Amino acid sequence: FFLQKDKEYRSFTKIQEDIQVILRHLWIQRTLLGFCSLIVLWIVLLDLSKKITEPIRMLSSSLRYVKYGEWDKIQIPKMRFSKNNEIRQLVSSFEDMVEGMKEKEKMSTVLNKVVSKEIAQEILKGDVHLGGEEKEVTMLFADIRGFTQLTQNMAPHDIIQLLNTCMTKLSQAIEENKGVIDKYLGDGVMALYGAPVAYKESPLCAVISAMQMISILNKWDEERVKLGEISLNIGVGIHTGTVCAGNMGAQNRLNYTVIGSHVNMASRLCYAAGPGEILITEDTYLHPCVQENIEVEDKGQMSFKGFDEKKQVYKVVGVKDKK
């Protein structure tokens, strides 16, 4: 009987040990499965995190290039999401913004070559419309004396090249003194001082521009004469008055300019100026900034076509010595 009992007890003990081994194996497998699941989950989360953070990091890095207009350095993230979500929408909006800014900059670059920077900025504001406003503006007209006769034997291509070089030099003097080029008039140029942006020293800036234009062309002329090329001289007329300044033309093609009798006066004064001569009206000279800084010679009363009354005119001699 006891032997039978002992045998049964050993069998029971054996079963218990086998169960213990099985439970231990199950625990180990469960632990390994849990650990593997954590690794798989970590890998999935890491990949998901990269999908989210990599585009944002790339966009953040590209923003500083947008600030300085370095378009070639901007990188648009390649989306790894198959569905449309917030990150994809963010990248798409950023790409649209960059393309829009590039297009606007391209348009601005083209406009700056066609019109002055100040006028281009007015156009790009998007609120351009027909009409204008009254402004006191100083107008400068400069014209090459005897240009048609001087260039009668030149080829058209050479004439255009000569004009382009000359106008580039004149434009430099205008823009360096807050002037705005209204238009090129064949062998002449019309510039505005005080429009579209008004400032008190506009008459003085116009006179300084004219003197610089004469100086620049004189130096260039010396080089040309040494090379046996034709000599160029300009006459300049400057007048200040109230004009209508704004966008003129048709709804689909506008041109920022000024109109009025004072514009015609400045033009007439230019044609009355001799080679290398700068003529200004009393309206320009009486501005304190001009009287205090510019030396002039009294030319007396002059008559101009289209004007009933004579106009007091002065010839610019130079800058006053304030010692």
Side-chain angles (χ1 to χ4, degrees):
F1 174 78
F2 288 107
L3 289 173
Q4 181 66 28
K5 287 289 185 180
D6 185 58
K7 186 176 180 180
E8 290 177 358
Y9 177 77
R10 285 198 301 270
S11 299
F12 179 74
T13 303
K14 175 64 174 171
I15 292 172
Q16 280 186 321
E17 291 176 352
D18 291 342
I19 292 174
Q20 295 276 340
V21 171
I22 292 171
L23 290 174
R24 192 178 301 112
H25 287 165
L26 288 173
W27 181 84
I28 292 172
Q29 290 175 359
R30 186 180 65 181
T31 303
L32 289 174
L33 180 62
F35 182 72
C36 291
S37 298
L38 285 174
I39 293 176
V40 171
L41 180 61
W42 180 77
I43 293 173
V44 171
L45 290 175
L46 182 62
D47 183 62
L48 181 61
S49 175
K50 284 184 177 180
K51 286 182 178 180
I52 296 174
T53 59
E54 187 176 345
I56 296 176
R57 180 180 55 80
M58 192 175 293
L59 290 179
S60 178
S61 176
S62 297
L63 279 175
R64 67 175 182 270
Y65 299 127
V66 173
K67 180 180 179 181
Y68 298 106
E70 298 176 345
W71 309 115
D72 56 323
K73 295 183 180 179
I74 294 175
Q75 294 182 333
I76 303 298
K78 294 182 179 180
M79 296 305 301
R80 296 162 61 188
F81 292 106
S82 57
K83 296 182 179 180
N84 191 19
N85 54 32
E86 290 81 359
I87 304 298
R88 181 180 288 277
Q89 290 176 1
L90 177 63
V91 172
S92 178
S93 298
F94 179 81
E95 187 173 11
D96 291 342
M97 180 195 73
V98 169
E99 290 301 319
M101 293 180 71
K102 286 168 66 176
E103 189 65 27
K104 186 174 181 179
E105 185 177 89
K106 187 188 297 182
M107 187 182 301
S108 178
T109 301
V110 173
L111 280 173
N112 286 337
K113 291 182 179 179
V114 178
V115 297
S116 295
K117 183 179 179 181
E118 292 82 359
I119 296 176
Q121 289 174 348
E122 290 292 315
I123 294 173
L124 290 173
K125 285 180 181 178
D127 56 355
V128 178
H129 57 276
L130 285 173
E133 57 181 337
E134 288 191 349
K135 280 188 175 184
E136 184 179 87
V137 179
T138 298
M139 291 138 293
L140 178 152
F141 280 80
D143 180 80
I144 301 175
R145 307 288 86 154
F147 185 76
T148 302
Q149 185 177 359
L150 289 171
T151 58
Q152 59 181 329
N153 296 321
M154 291 179 62
H157 174 77
D158 294 332
I159 295 175
I160 292 175
Q161 187 175 6
L162 176 62
L163 276 175
N164 288 344
T165 304
C166 182
M167 293 304 153
T168 299
K169 294 180 181 295
L170 298 183
S171 300
Q172 179 184 350
I174 293 169
E175 293 173 348
E176 284 181 356
N177 292 281
K178 301 181 182 180
V180 172
I181 297 170
D182 182 288
K183 59 178 68 73
Y184 293 105
L185 307 164
D187 57 350
V189 61
M190 172 184 173
L192 310 177
Y193 297 80
V197 181
Y199 51 95
K200 293 180 180 179
E201 304 83 9
S202 58
L204 178 61
C205 290
V207 176
I208 296 297
S209 288
M211 289 191 291
Q212 287 186 4
M213 291 161 70
I214 298 293
S215 177
I216 290 171
L217 285 189
N218 284 342
K219 291 180 180 178
W220 185 44
D221 203 48
E222 291 177 4
E223 298 173 2
R224 293 178 54 78
V225 171
K226 289 179 181 178
L227 297 173
E229 298 176 349
I230 61 173
S231 178
L232 295 179
N233 289 287
I234 62 170
V236 183
I238 300 173
H239 174 60
T240 303
T242 302
V243 296
C244 181
N247 298 295
M248 317 294 173
Q251 288 287 357
N252 62 342
R253 187 175 295 276
L254 302 176
N255 176 41
Y256 186 92
T257 188
V258 293
I259 59 173
S261 61
H262 292 292
V263 181
N264 297 331
M265 173 56 69
S267 177
R268 297 283 188 271
L269 199 62
C270 172
Y271 287 107
E277 192 173 47
I278 304 170
L279 297 182
I280 64 174
T281 60
E282 187 176 36
D283 304 86
T284 299
Y285 178 68
L286 289 181
H287 277 259
C289 59
V290 177
Q291 280 187 312
E292 293 172 3
N293 296 280
I294 302 299
E295 189 75 38
V296 297
E297 175 187 319
D298 191 342
K299 298 287 287 186
Q301 299 280 325
M302 296 180 64
S303 298
F304 296 96
K305 183 180 179 181
F307 293 88
D308 296 331
E309 297 181 359
K310 292 185 177 181
K311 202 75 173 173
Q312 176 63 42
V313 177
Y314 298 91
K315 174 184 175 181
V316 174
V317 177
V319 178
K320 284 184 177 180
D321 187 356
K322 295 185 179 181
K323 290 184 180 180

